[in-house]
Amino acid sequence: MNLLNHVAIIMDGNGRWGLKYKNSRNAGHKEGLKTVEKIIKQTIRHKIKFLTLYAFSTENWKRPKKEINYLFNLLENFLNHRINELYKQNIRLKIIGVKNFSSKLNKLLNASEKKTSKNKKLQINLALNYGSKFELINAFKTLYKKKEKINEKNLSKYLQTKNIPDPDLLIRTGNTKRLSNFLLWQLAYSEIFFEKKLWPEFNEKDYNKIIKKFKNIKRNFGKI
Ligand code: IPE
Ligand code: IPE
Ligand code: MG
């Protein structure tokens, strides 16, 4: 049985769900947040230590302003209302990606990270304005500037995921089979599950089923 230490999720399909059931993409984002809460609970139940959630990519800036604003308002509201509870549940929140949002949101994100920084039960890495290519280029630039030797260990130090073990399992909902610039380096040996359901319809049972399957996979890492 494989140990499961880190789950990464590309939470895709909110817009399609919203259009299908509520005639509004943004309604899908709101509904998707409910799935986030369910999945956090289950992740704790499974005693998984790291959960990385792809919430906004560097490419998502190409979306209409109205949708972008809605997403960040949703995030702001979520943090304002839930950060105390996350804190009490011994959850640590870490942002991966570049924090170049409004100064109000940047402050809230920094404060949320700081408040929960000593927590130990589960670390949630929220990928916001995250892009793997940018992350890698930046890391290589730093190595070059510092004249450090280019190897895996040194490169990892300058990734946003510094000190975070690589994901064991990647799940992408929304019936699309691509990585969309997510953790290209870190997913080198992850088990990947593409799920047909849209993120707002994904539930505990679906998650548990994937975890069960994951546990029984023969992970070779090149060996036989
Ligand atoms: C994923 O859902 C969430 C974000 C990118 C913020 P989408 O908004 O991409 O939903 P679809 O893929 O358009 O249905
Ligand atoms: C990936 O979903 C990003 C997030 C889930 C945050 P997208 O919906 O943006 O991906 P593409 O553009 O369809 O590849
Ligand atoms: Mg999408």
Side-chain angles (χ1 to χ4, degrees), residues 167-179:
D168 300 294
L169 168 60
L170 170 76
I171 301 169
R172 179 176 188 140
T173 59
N175 201 19
T176 304
K177 295 185 175 110
R178 55 176 173 254
L179 294 179

Side-chain angles (χ1 to χ4, degrees), residues 10-16 25 29 60 63 67 172-174 176 178 180:
I10 302 175
M11 312 183 285
D12 195 25
N14 288 348
R16 276 165 286 163
R25 288 184 53 85
H29 293 308
N60 287 145
R63 294 189 179 200
E67 181 166 339
R172 179 176 188 140
T173 59
T176 304
R178 55 176 173 254
S180 305

